């Protein structure tokens, strides 16, 4: 699954993407096209590189990357032997200059997370006068004949048949020189492509490291089997909204393994936020972002399935229940032991007795297949089901205002209450 496709999951991942301060369009394209990492080896290696960037001041590098353009089409043409025009030669020159400057900064900062090829020869080919400026022109120094023709053209000041002849000869020589330059540069095509790719990746690493510092995100420990736990888990999108309202976000501690977990709790008690935060942090881990928790250990999966919220679809003439069940069927068809499945209000939107029976059968099916599952519910039948079924756990979102500071915590192994009467009374219902 690409990161671009993951942005459609309603868990706060788009907020993380939109608050990522990438400097270059090619960095953004690389991020969107990136695949979800599914092995401990690749995740650990990725975070070791991010960790190196995290502890360096990369502001000078970021300033250079602001000028990085997405020139992969130009580099493809160069590799195919096409004669480049002046704009394309400028793009190659500018890339080589940026890469050379960043390479020097990486050496000064002793950063090995990203390796760049030496492109000094490319700069020399496109900058014969040694000006080291981000522009390109078929310079006089490329050809003595060209220099002489331009001198004569300047003297004639654009008049007469002789000027027209010189102008045509000038164009022929420029085309010839562009062909010679393109031929010389062709052998550097792979190095230039590597430089563009690694500069784009460096842009992503720096943006992620800065986001981690800004939001208070952590580096995850990862495992391919065993317990997943988060201490101080939060959802940055929700936390930001709450902060704007002058309120304090209450983080959550949670741990779970493969057995299904049902979460019971009050309306507005945070059940849906817990599910969204679990989906978000699973995705953040496996796409190489900082994780929204104080510390954590994350069990890697191959797919994250989240079914959440009021999914009524007017366009498809589907009720809330029908739409919810359509998504549920889609999830059940593809989920396996490598998936993380999260349901909000499983079986809701229909007769409570039938809805609870459906929810129990779905949880039983997922449990038998060994699929990591968590579901929120208000059904009392599911509390009893979780208490009486081996391998299924209860949890509750507990919220209390009895102390000086409101407390909010997720308790595994304890069935909770919906508190519908108490909440309705506080909202003004007589």
């Amino acid at each position: 699954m690409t990161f671009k496709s993951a942005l459609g999951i309603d868990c706060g991942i788009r907020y993380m993407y939109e608050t990522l301060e990438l400097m270059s369009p090619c960095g953004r394209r690389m991020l969107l096209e990136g695949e979800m990492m599914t092995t401990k080896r690749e995740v650990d290696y990725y975070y070791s590189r991010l960790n190196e960037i995290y502890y360096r001041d990369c502001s000078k590098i970021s300033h250079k990357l602001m000028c990085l353009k997405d020139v992969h089409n130009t580099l493809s043409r160069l590799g195919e032997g096409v004669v480049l025009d002046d704009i394309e030669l400028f793009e190659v020159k500018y890339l080589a200059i940026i890469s050379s400057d960043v390479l020097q900064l990486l050496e000064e900062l002793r950063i090995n997370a990203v390796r760049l090829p030496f492109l000094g020869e490319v700069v020399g080919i496109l900058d014969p006068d040694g000006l080291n400026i981000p522009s390109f022109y078929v310079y006089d120094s490329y050809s003595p004949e060209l220099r002489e023709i331009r001198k004569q053209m300047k003297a004639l000041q654009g008049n007469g048949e002789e000027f027209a002849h010189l102008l045509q000869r000038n164009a022929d020589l420029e085309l010839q020189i562009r062909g010679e330059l393109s031929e010389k540069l062709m052998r550097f095509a792979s190095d230039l492509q590597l430089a563009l790719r690694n500069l784009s990746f460096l842009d992503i690493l720096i943006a992620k490291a800065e986001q981690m510092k800004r939001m208070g995100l952590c580096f995850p420990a990862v495992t391919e089997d065993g317990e997943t736990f988060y201490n101080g888990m939060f959802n940055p999108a929700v936390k930001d909204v709450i902060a704007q309202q002058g309120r304090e976000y209450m983080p959550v501690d949670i741990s779970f393994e493969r057995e299904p977990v049902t979460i019971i709790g009050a309306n507005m008690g945070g059940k849906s936020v817990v599910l969204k935060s679990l989906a978000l942090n699973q995705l953040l881990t496996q796409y190489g972002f900082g994780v929204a928790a104080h510390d954590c250990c994350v069990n890697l999966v191959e797919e994250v399935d989240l079914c959440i919220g009021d999914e009524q679809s007017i366009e498809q003439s589907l009720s809330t229940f029908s739409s919810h069940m359509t998504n549920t069927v889609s999830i059940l068809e593809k989920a396996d032991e490598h998936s993380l499945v999260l349901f909000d209000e499983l079986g809701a939107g229909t007769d409570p007795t039938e809805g609870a029976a459906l929810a129990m059968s779905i949880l039983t099916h997922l449990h038998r297949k060994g699929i990591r599952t968590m579901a929120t519910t208000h059904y009392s039948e599911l509390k009893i089901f979780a208490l009486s079924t081996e391998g299924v756990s209860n949890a509750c979102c507990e919220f209390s205002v009895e102390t000086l500071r409101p407390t909010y915590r997720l308790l595994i192994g304890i069935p909770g209450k919906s508190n519908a009467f108490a909440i309705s009374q506080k909202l003004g219902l007589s």
Side-chain angles (χ1 to χ4, degrees):
M1 179 169 63
T2 65
F3 183 70
K4 184 177 181 178
S5 63
L7 293 177
I9 300 175
D10 180 21
C11 63
I13 190 68
R14 181 170 289 277
Y15 177 84
M16 301 301 291
Y17 169 66
E18 291 174 351
T19 55
L20 196 66
E21 297 179 355
L22 292 164
M23 296 295 150
S24 66
C26 43
R28 192 168 301 277
R29 179 173 63 86
M30 174 178 277
L31 175 65
L32 291 171
E33 293 175 354
E35 294 286 340
M36 187 170 78
M37 298 178 288
T38 56
T39 67
K40 177 175 169 57
R41 181 178 179 180
E42 61 181 332
V43 174
D44 284 344
Y45 179 55
Y46 192 101
Y47 279 108
S48 70
R49 300 167 85 180
L50 181 58
N51 184 73
E52 188 177 355
I53 298 297
Y54 183 87
Y55 290 102
R56 301 289 196 282
D57 179 5
C58 297
S59 55
K60 291 183 179 179
I61 296 177
S62 293
H63 183 73
K64 295 289 183 182
L65 294 176
M66 290 175 65
C67 303
L68 185 64
K69 306 298 181 185
D70 192 351
V71 297
H72 73 277
N73 287 334
T74 295
L75 299 183
S76 296
R77 284 167 53 81
L78 177 63
E80 293 167 0
V82 176
V83 176
L84 303 185
D85 59 28
D86 283 2
I87 293 176
E88 291 170 320
L89 289 169
F90 157 72
E91 290 175 341
V92 171
K93 178 183 177 181
Y94 204 7
L95 171 61
I97 290 175
I98 292 171
S99 182
S100 298
D101 291 345
V102 172
L103 176 59
Q104 183 178 345
L105 290 171
L106 291 175
E107 291 173 349
E108 291 174 1
L109 293 170
R110 298 181 181 180
I111 293 175
N112 298 308
V114 176
R115 301 298 182 108
L116 294 174
F118 177 73
L119 296 177
E121 194 171 345
V122 173
V123 176
I125 291 171
L126 296 173
D127 188 20
D129 297 331
L131 301 175
N132 198 38
I133 56 176
S135 62
F136 177 78
Y137 175 66
V138 180
Y139 301 98
D140 292 355
S141 49
Y142 281 129
S143 165
E145 183 183 357
L146 182 65
R147 180 187 295 111
E148 181 60 31
I149 287 174
R150 287 175 173 173
K151 184 178 179 181
Q152 294 178 30
M153 289 170 62
K154 186 176 181 179
L156 291 172
Q157 297 182 350
N159 296 317
E161 184 178 337
E162 184 180 357
F163 180 85
H165 173 74
L166 291 171
L167 185 63
Q168 182 59 51
R169 181 56 183 159
N170 179 82
D172 292 342
L173 283 173
E174 287 186 0
L175 181 59
Q176 177 185 328
I177 291 168
R178 292 189 196 98
E180 294 170 352
L181 292 175
S182 299
E183 186 176 356
K184 289 180 181 178
L185 293 170
M186 185 176 175
R187 65 188 178 95
F188 296 102
S190 59
D191 281 346
L192 287 161
Q193 289 170 344
L194 176 62
L196 180 63
R197 187 163 58 250
N198 285 359
L199 287 169
S200 302
F201 181 61
L202 182 58
D203 184 19
I204 294 171
L205 289 180
I206 293 173
K208 287 179 176 178
E210 292 304 311
Q211 186 183 63
M212 288 182 70
K213 297 172 186 177
R214 191 170 63 251
M215 292 185 175
L217 311 178
C218 75
F219 287 95
V222 297
T223 176
E224 292 181 324
D225 196 20
E227 182 185 58
T228 289
F229 72 81
Y230 297 94
N231 292 321
M233 180 180 73
F234 63 97
N235 190 300
V238 178
K239 185 178 180 180
D240 186 49
V241 171
I242 289 176
Q244 291 175 17
Q245 297 172 352
R247 297 186 291 142
E248 183 180 359
Y249 186 98
M250 304 302 291
V252 171
D253 296 343
I254 184 171
S255 64
F256 61 96
E257 295 190 37
R258 283 190 178 274
E259 71 273 9
V261 178
T262 60
I263 302 178
I264 318 292
N267 290 306
M268 303 185 299
K271 301 185 302 299
S272 299
V273 174
V274 168
L275 290 191
K276 287 189 176 187
S277 300
L278 285 173
L280 171 65
N281 283 310
Q282 190 76 43
L283 293 171
L284 291 178
T285 298
Q286 296 191 228
Y287 284 109
F289 286 71
V291 176
H294 180 268
D295 61 87
C296 64
C297 180
V298 182
N299 196 313
L300 300 181
V301 299
E302 293 183 1
E303 187 162 356
V304 178
D305 296 309
L306 177 66
C307 187
I308 199 161
D310 184 351
E311 297 166 341
Q312 185 176 40
S313 175
I314 296 174
E315 292 81 4
Q316 299 181 42
S317 299
L318 294 176
S319 67
T320 297
F321 175 75
S322 298
S323 184
H324 191 74
M325 197 50 58
T326 297
N327 291 337
T328 299
V329 170
S330 176
I331 290 171
L332 293 178
E333 287 176 345
K334 61 184 179 180
D336 58 24
E337 67 273 14
H338 303 297
S339 302
L340 173 64
V341 177
L342 304 166
F343 288 111
D344 189 32
E345 302 294 352
L346 181 58
T350 189
D351 173 80
T353 302
E354 293 186 6
L358 281 169
M360 285 187 282
S361 66
I362 290 168
L363 289 176
T364 299
H365 171 75
L366 293 167
H367 180 37
R368 287 173 178 169
K369 293 184 70 174
I371 298 172
R372 299 172 187 85
T373 307
M374 193 166 292
T376 67
T377 184
H378 285 288
Y379 291 143
S380 297
E381 293 90 339
L382 282 188
K383 298 182 190 180
I384 299 170
F385 168 77
L387 285 171
S388 60
T389 305
E390 185 178 353
V392 181
S393 299
N394 261 314
C396 71
C397 282
E398 181 184 75
F399 182 71
S400 173
V401 293
E402 295 177 0
T403 57
L404 291 176
R405 282 185 61 195
T407 59
Y408 166 51
R409 57 180 176 167
L410 182 74
L411 302 176
I412 299 292
I414 301 175
K417 297 186 296 181
S418 294
N419 295 314
F421 293 143
I423 292 172
S424 299
Q425 186 176 26
K426 284 186 176 293
L427 293 174
L429 184 66
S430 66

